[in-house]
């Protein structure tokens, strides 16, 4: 098989043991684990992954909630870099090989001159990648849509940043974001050949693979041709549907029990309030669809 299957755990607030058991039932190879180094029992997590036969592919650095490598406040930049270094330690200890690094999610307005912010970003990531090199970890810069960040939205921007950070710095592409921002997603993948260390998958509507318009065989063939042999990391996030057309049976979260921040998160990413049976069905569907198309790609090689 040319590529392996993994999945995030940041999209659904639940105990890690629930997530890992589901991944094992649905036939996944690995998890791209949300990086909470100070809030996660490392030894317990390692035992849990081993028990279920799920590897740690890598980690996702959660740049939200005040973490920002290009903040105007130098103390926030310093604290954010410290978090990234701790994340590298965390992922390396679990046997992962990369840390996905998006810009701060939800930050849409810059705080300083463009060149100054760029210099801050390059300097921070250079320091982090230098540390990561000693721990067998590659940073993977992830472009996000303009609706989630103003800074790194496209593959060419991520490549320029990676080039300035250093030769071991990699890229993580996400076909959902690419579907919005790239003029030619095929060309973007080709441009990143050799730098691509992780790849996120969801449909053009951010539903599970098989629920939208993406030609998965074409995408996987392009990745294969680019020499990509890493993980396909599932990241579906259904939107809330409050109309009579909804078939997702999502409960109304506006009962006063949740913070405004969580309510906004649930509004934007409804994975957290999907019924368990539907969430498992989406998780299984993602694996089934991807393995079906991977088999076609492998057969054609």
């Amino acid at each position: 098989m040319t590529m392996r299957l993994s999945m995030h755990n940041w999209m659904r607030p639940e105990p890690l043991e629930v997530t890992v058991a589901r991944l094992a039932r649905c036939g996944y190879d690995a998890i791209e684990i949300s990086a909470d180094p100070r809030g996660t029992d490392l030894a317990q997590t390692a035992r849990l992954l081993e028990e279920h036969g799920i590897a740690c592919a890598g980690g996702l650095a959660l740049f939200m909630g005040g973490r920002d490598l290009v903040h105007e406040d130098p103390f926030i930049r310093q604290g954010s870099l410290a978090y990234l270094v701790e994340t590298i330690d965390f992922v390396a200890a679990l046997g992962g090989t990369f840390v996905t690094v998006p810009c701060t999610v939800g930050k849409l307005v810059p705080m300083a001159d463009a060149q100054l912010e760029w210099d801050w970003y390059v300097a921070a990531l250079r320091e982090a990648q230098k540390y990561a090199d000693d721990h067998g970890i590659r940073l993977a810069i992830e472009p996000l849509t303009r609706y989630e960040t103003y800074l790194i939205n496209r593959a060419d921007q991520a490549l320029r940043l990676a080039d300035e950070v250093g030769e071991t710095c990699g890229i993580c592409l996400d076909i959902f974001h690419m579907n919005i921002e790239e003029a030619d997603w095929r060309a973007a993948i080709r441009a990143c050949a050799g730098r691509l260390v992780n790849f996120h998958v969801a449909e053009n509507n951010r539903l599970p693979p098989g629920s939208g318009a993406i030609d998965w065989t074409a995408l996987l063939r392009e990745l294969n041709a680019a020499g990509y042999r890493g993980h396909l990391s599932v990241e579906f996030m259904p939107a809330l549907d409050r109309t009579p057309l909804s078939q997702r049976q999502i409960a109304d979260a506006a009962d006063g029990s949740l913070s405004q921040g969580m309510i906004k998160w649930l509004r934007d990413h409804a994975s957290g309030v999907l019924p368990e049976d539907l969430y498992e069905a989406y998780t299984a569907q993602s694996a089934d669809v991807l393995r079906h198309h991977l088999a076609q790609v492998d057969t054609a090689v």
Side-chain angles (χ1 to χ4, degrees), residues 17-260:
E17 54 265 28
V18 174
T19 304
V20 173
R22 184 188 302 111
L23 294 181
R25 285 194 303 272
C26 294
Y28 284 75
D29 303 299
I31 186 171
E32 182 177 350
I33 197 164
S34 299
D36 181 16
R38 298 187 184 184
T40 305
D41 186 314
L42 184 60
Q44 182 179 344
T45 299
R47 287 194 298 269
L48 178 66
L49 295 178
E50 183 177 8
E51 175 187 345
H52 289 279
I54 296 295
C56 176
L60 174 67
L62 300 174
F63 279 96
M64 54 182 71
R67 297 181 183 130
D68 185 356
L69 291 171
V70 294
H71 199 280
E72 61 185 353
D73 186 331
F75 292 102
I76 291 178
R77 297 200 304 273
Q78 184 178 14
S80 301
L81 178 57
Y83 162 74
L84 183 52
V85 168
E86 290 177 6
T87 293
I88 292 166
D89 284 333
F90 174 73
V91 172
L94 290 174
T97 60
F98 63 83
V99 172
T100 303
V101 184
C103 296
T104 298
V105 178
K107 183 184 177 186
L108 303 178
V109 179
M111 292 180 169
D113 172 81
Q115 187 61 53
L116 184 57
E117 284 195 336
W118 186 262
D119 291 344
W120 286 339
Y121 212 13
V122 170
L125 293 179
R126 277 179 180 169
E127 187 171 341
Q129 184 61 72
K130 182 179 179 181
Y131 184 83
D133 287 340
D134 294 333
H135 293 76
I137 298 290
R138 294 183 71 182
L139 301 184
I141 298 167
E142 182 186 11
L144 306 178
T145 73
R146 69 194 73 184
Y147 307 111
E148 296 187 34
T149 179
Y150 64 90
L151 190 50
I152 303 296
N153 307 124
R154 304 186 311 270
D156 59 343
Q157 297 168 330
L159 278 169
R160 173 62 181 267
L161 181 58
D163 284 343
E164 294 198 27
V165 170
E167 62 181 10
T168 56
C169 185
I171 303 292
C172 170
L173 294 179
D174 183 317
I175 191 59
F176 167 76
H177 297 293
M178 297 171 78
N179 188 64
I180 296 171
E181 297 293 346
E182 301 292 348
D184 183 342
W185 60 260
R186 290 175 175 83
I189 288 173
R190 292 169 196 154
C192 292
R195 285 274 196 183
L196 196 58
V197 298
N198 192 27
F199 197 86
H200 291 172
V201 292
E203 282 286 358
N204 59 294
N205 51 14
R206 221 167 193 181
L207 287 173
S211 305
I214 291 175
D215 183 337
W216 290 100
T217 296
L219 172 62
L220 297 178
R221 282 177 178 163
E222 199 66 58
L223 286 169
N224 190 62
Y228 183 66
R229 300 294 183 268
H231 287 83
L232 301 171
S233 193
V234 173
E235 194 185 26
F236 63 77
M237 284 179 280
L240 284 174
D241 185 349
R242 296 173 59 87
T243 76
L245 294 175
S246 176
Q247 297 179 349
R248 299 179 194 156
Q249 302 173 5
I250 298 174
D252 195 334
D255 60 0
S257 63
L258 300 177
S259 69
Q260 288 301 310

Side-chain angles (χ1 to χ4, degrees), residues 268-282:
D268 295 341
H269 312 104
S271 301
V273 291
L274 285 178
E276 171 59 32
D277 59 344
L278 183 54
Y279 192 79
E280 175 138 358
Y282 278 173

